[in-house]
């Protein structure tokens, strides 16, 4: 079971490492971390990830996963990255994304007419790549799985684990990793966070970030 993560500079590391930790325990898993080059890929957390393969070295994926991050804006304009996704997807058993990685799937034409999700701050942009937005942490549409923002990637990976290895295996992996969320605040989504916190975060970060992503999508449509 070849599990291929496609990385790009300024990826959000938890979009990758969260599901990778779970999917690496899928029976028979072979983990492949792919990028344009074998140079370390900088993340948003002050450290880099070392790819195992260049895009042009990767055999056919069984599970193709695209994380997100602020680097998606530049990746949308990278023909090699988009071509890799477009070439891998037709024969992959599962085509997946976490957070804003959905827009890279969309740029490759892989979300046209499909229900999908992404980080709440970018949700309104999904129609620009032909997707139907759904407010959910995980959206399963045939063999396509999309996850919401960042930590949703853990939920997506457990969902996929259940599809591939059975619910009992997925439950055991969840227990082994002690994934038992009990956050100290009810502030993980605008539906639960107080309005002032959401508005402040939009003003400081996401209004401008979403506008940049929108510009990149339209520029490379």
């Amino acid at each position: 079971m070849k599990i291929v993560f496609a990385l790009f500079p300024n990826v959000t590391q938890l979009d990758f490492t969260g599901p990778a930790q779970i999917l690496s325990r899928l029976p028979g898993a072979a983990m492949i971390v792919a990028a344009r080059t074998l140079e370390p890929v900088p993340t948003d957390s002050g450290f880099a990830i070392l790819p195992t393969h260049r895009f042009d070295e990767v055999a056919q994926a069984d599970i193709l996963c695209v994380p997100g991050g602020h680097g998606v804006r530049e990746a949308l304009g990278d023909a090699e990255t988009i071509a890799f996704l477009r070439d891998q997807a037709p024969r992959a058993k599962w085509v997946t994304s976490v957070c804003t990685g959905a827009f890279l799937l969309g740029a490759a034409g892989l979300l046209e007419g499909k229900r999908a999700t992404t980080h709440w701050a970018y949700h309104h942009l999904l129609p620009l790549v032909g997707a139907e937005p759904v407010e959910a942490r995980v959206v399963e549409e045939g063999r396509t799985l999309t996850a919401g923002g960042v930590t949703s990637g853990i939920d997506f990976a457990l969902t996929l684990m259940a599809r591939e290895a059975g619910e009992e295996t997925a439950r055991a992996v969840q227990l082994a990793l002690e994934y038992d969320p009990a956050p100290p605040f009810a502030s993980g989504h605008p539906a639960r966070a107080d309005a002032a916190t959401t508005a402040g975060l939009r003003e400081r970060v996401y209004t401008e970030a979403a506008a940049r992503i929108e510009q990149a999508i339209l520029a490379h449509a």
Side-chain angles (χ1 to χ4, degrees):
M1 179 64 72
K2 294 185 180 67
I3 304 168
V4 177
F5 285 86
L7 300 192
F8 50 86
N10 297 316
V11 65
T12 293
Q13 62 84 19
L14 189 55
D15 285 11
F16 159 58
T17 55
Q21 182 67 60
I22 291 165
L23 294 177
S24 67
R25 300 190 180 206
L26 191 65
M31 302 295 290
I32 296 169
V33 182
R36 290 185 61 192
T37 74
L38 295 180
E39 293 296 312
V41 178
T43 74
D44 63 354
S45 299
F47 62 84
I49 295 169
L50 193 64
T52 61
H53 294 72
R54 296 193 311 265
F55 288 151
D56 61 5
E57 298 174 321
V58 177
Q60 177 58 50
D62 296 303
I63 298 172
L64 177 64
C65 186
V66 186
H70 288 300
V72 161
R73 181 181 62 162
E74 289 74 26
L76 283 165
D78 183 71
E80 189 173 348
T81 299
I82 301 303
F84 176 73
L85 302 180
R86 189 179 289 126
D87 291 346
Q88 283 280 333
R91 293 177 299 280
K93 186 173 183 181
W94 296 98
V95 176
T96 73
S97 66
V98 180
C99 198
T100 52
F103 296 109
L104 296 178
L105 291 186
L110 304 174
L111 292 183
E112 189 67 40
K114 295 181 179 179
R115 298 160 61 253
T117 192
T118 188
H119 188 287
W120 58 264
Y122 306 91
H123 212 254
H124 63 290
L125 299 178
L126 283 169
L128 294 179
V129 293
E132 177 188 339
V134 177
E135 287 280 359
R137 282 179 70 81
V138 180
V139 173
E140 185 174 353
E141 178 88 343
R143 63 189 186 91
T144 302
L145 278 172
T146 53
V150 194
T151 60
S152 302
I154 297 173
D155 295 4
F156 132 71
L158 286 168
T159 300
L160 185 51
M161 175 74 73
R163 298 289 179 272
E164 278 297 309
E167 187 174 315
E168 204 49 48
T169 298
R171 288 177 179 272
V173 169
Q174 180 176 350
L175 178 59
L177 297 177
E178 201 173 342
Y179 179 52
D180 187 27
F185 312 108
S187 191
H189 187 273
R192 287 171 291 283
D194 66 79
T197 299
T198 301
L201 191 56
R202 283 191 189 276
E203 181 178 354
R204 292 193 306 274
V205 179
Y206 287 118
T207 298
E208 183 179 348
R212 291 197 300 266
I213 290 284
E214 181 176 10
Q215 290 168 2
I217 293 169
L218 295 174
H220 302 292

